[in-house]
Amino acid sequence: MTDFRTENLEKVRNAVNVCTMCGFCKSVCPSFKSIGWDSALSRGRIILSYGLLNGDLEADPSVIENMYTCTTCADCVRRCPSKVDIVDIIELCRADLVKNGHILPKHKSMCDNILATGNPFGEKAPRQEVLGRKPHNAKIGYYVGCTATYRSKKTAQATISILDKIGADYTTVDEVCCGSVMQRVGWPQEDVTELMRKNVENIKSLGIETLVLACAGCYRMFKIEYPKYVDVPFEVLHITEFLAKQDLKLKPLDGKVVTYHDPCHLGRHCGVYEAPREVIAKIPGVDFREMEYNRKTSHCCGGGGGVRSAFPEESMDIAGTRLDEAAFADIIITTCPFCVNNLDSAKGDRDIQVRDLVEVIDELM
């Protein structure tokens, strides 16, 4: 066996041994449903982690692939009777893989781009130029995120438009990537922490008291991950939590059946389920119907954990399953640019719209 250093996995040696291989995770794991092998299942990944930890397995291409087809949706964590934090184990295993020189080319390219340009796409245009807004002192800060700034621009434009319409005292931020991409794929934490420091210092310098985010992945970072490594001296709200408290004057949305997809990072990871539904309920005449699997049991869209970039076919397959569950609806609304992009890319000839909630609200204001 080669010398595989397991500095990160050592932290969860006891947790790895807690898994009883019961298979409860099998009924909910999105990648298992797509791939069909136990190695692409939560308990299978626990076995792979155990093998690497004890030097019984080589970090060969099959091991690496199975560790990276996990979307980190955390439905297995919810289902686990032994309360094993499986996502934490998988991400620590990925960190050891990267530390030992095993990183997928797509993931390395994104991380290199972040270090060079502050975003995973390698875009060199300044954010304030793209957004048309210059940061200034204000009580509310809108952290846009990389995807909404450079790819899903409608989300950024709609959020800015809403904040303008309600007369909020807000500003954009001189931001860099939140670090979610790096952390999910196992990039060294010291680089992620440096991004955290930059963002927090830039936000503090503008006198911001409440930070609003429309990206579920960015929100999870500021809400859950940032406080582990840096001081966060301001309130962190998802845009739906912010809008749920506002008196929105909306036009009716008649003749359309609407459903809502819970993003994994907003829902299971952060526990934000009701705020988006409260905002949707503000729409006059809305015919809102839940999918069978909603809130904590919501199925993943397949776009997270670095899966979409490295394994697009599996990602599309997982998204297709979720779209089939929403077949009764005319519009599937969600609150994450990744979910919007992945579901929209996978819909094919399905007669359904995939919209970000902020876009819908902005149109109806």
Side-chain angles (χ1 to χ4, degrees):
M1 289 289 176
T2 56
D3 182 27
F4 186 89
R5 292 171 293 135
T6 55
E7 297 171 21
N8 290 286
L9 277 174
E10 282 294 343
K11 302 172 188 174
V12 289
R13 180 178 283 277
N14 291 337
V16 170
N17 286 312
V18 168
C19 176
T20 63
M21 304 297 149
C22 68
F24 274 42
C25 51
K26 202 166 190 172
S27 64
V28 297
C29 181
S31 54
F32 172 74
K33 291 175 187 176
S34 173
I35 299 166
W37 290 93
D38 257 38
S39 54
L41 168 66
S42 305
R43 71 175 179 185
R45 295 185 178 105
I46 292 283
I47 294 171
L48 296 178
S49 298
Y50 183 85
L52 290 170
L53 185 55
N54 292 301
D56 298 325
L57 280 179
E58 296 273 4
D60 65 20
S62 67
V63 170
I64 296 166
E65 178 175 333
N66 281 296
M67 292 310 300
Y68 278 101
T69 49
C70 171
T71 65
T72 68
C73 75
D75 210 3
C76 55
V77 178
R78 174 189 67 83
R79 194 73 181 86
C80 181
S82 300
K83 307 300 180 188
V84 179
D85 192 343
I86 302 164
V87 172
D88 191 35
I89 292 170
I90 289 168
E91 291 190 347
L92 288 170
C93 183
R94 289 176 174 183
D96 277 339
L97 286 169
V98 172
K99 189 160 280 191
N100 283 273
H102 305 291
I103 185 168
L104 297 173
K106 287 279 188 181
H107 294 163
K108 186 176 189 305
S109 175
M110 289 192 299
C111 293
D112 286 343
N113 283 339
I114 292 169
L115 293 175
T117 65
N119 68 83
F121 311 113
E123 296 284 355
K124 295 179 181 178
R127 292 176 190 252
Q128 64 186 57
E129 181 181 297
V130 175
L131 297 169
R133 299 292 172 119
K134 189 175 181 179
H136 60 275
N137 278 51
K139 291 188 176 182
I140 298 168
Y142 170 37
Y143 183 94
V144 183
C146 302
T147 303
T149 300
Y150 294 108
R151 293 294 182 267
S152 302
K153 296 182 181 180
K154 287 182 180 178
T155 300
Q157 291 163 355
T159 306
I160 287 171
S161 177
I162 291 169
L163 292 171
D164 283 341
K165 287 173 181 175
I166 65 175
D169 174 23
Y170 82 99
T171 178
T172 53
V173 177
D174 185 15
E175 64 186 69
V176 292
C177 178
C178 70
S180 182
V181 171
M182 285 179 155
Q183 208 172 54
R184 300 293 73 77
V185 304
W187 194 263
Q189 181 60 43
E190 50 265 33
D191 285 341
V192 182
T193 303
E194 183 56 30
L195 293 175
M196 293 175 172
R197 287 198 192 99
K198 285 181 181 178
N199 279 322
V200 169
E201 288 305 314
N202 288 340
I203 293 163
K204 284 167 57 180
S205 71
L206 296 171
I208 290 168
E209 296 174 8
T210 299
L211 187 71
V212 174
L213 307 96
C215 173
C218 296
Y219 174 79
R220 178 201 166 186
M221 286 298 286
F222 275 92
K223 195 78 173 180
I224 306 295
E225 300 298 334
Y226 273 52
K228 296 177 184 176
Y229 302 96
V230 294
D231 180 43
V232 181
F234 42 81
E235 182 183 29
V236 176
L237 293 178
H238 189 262
I239 186 66
T240 58
E241 294 177 300
F242 179 78
L243 294 179
K245 301 173 184 176
Q246 306 298 316
D247 181 19
L248 303 174
K249 307 295 184 185
L250 304 176
K251 294 178 287 188
L253 181 65
D254 297 319
K256 299 288 185 183
V257 177
V258 171
T259 193
Y260 175 70
H261 165 73
D262 291 273
C264 301
H265 282 171
L266 186 63
R268 272 186 298 274
H269 283 277
C270 293
V272 178
Y273 298 112
E274 300 313 315
R277 290 170 170 84
E278 289 170 10
V279 175
I280 292 170
K282 291 176 183 285
I283 303 172
V286 68
D287 183 359
F288 178 74
R289 306 178 196 178
E290 293 281 9
M291 282 184 269
E292 179 181 359
Y293 299 98
N294 61 77
R295 294 178 173 83
K296 66 180 181 180
T297 65
S298 177
H299 287 160
C300 181
C301 80
V307 175
R308 186 180 181 195
S309 59
F311 303 100
E313 288 185 17
E314 287 81 357
S315 183
M316 290 294 98
D317 193 37
I318 295 167
T321 300
R322 189 58 169 159
L323 286 162
D324 289 342
E325 294 170 3
F328 61 85
D330 298 301
I331 305 172
I332 180 170
I333 290 176
T334 188
T335 44
C336 171
F338 275 86
C339 294
V340 172
N341 290 341
N342 216 47
L343 292 169
D344 195 55
S345 297
K347 74 178 185 180
D349 58 3
R350 292 178 179 86
D351 187 20
I352 189 169
Q353 295 180 52
V354 183
R355 307 290 306 279
D356 194 294
L357 181 54
V358 290
E359 294 176 37
V360 176
I361 294 301
D362 183 44
E363 287 179 5
L364 296 175
M365 286 185 80

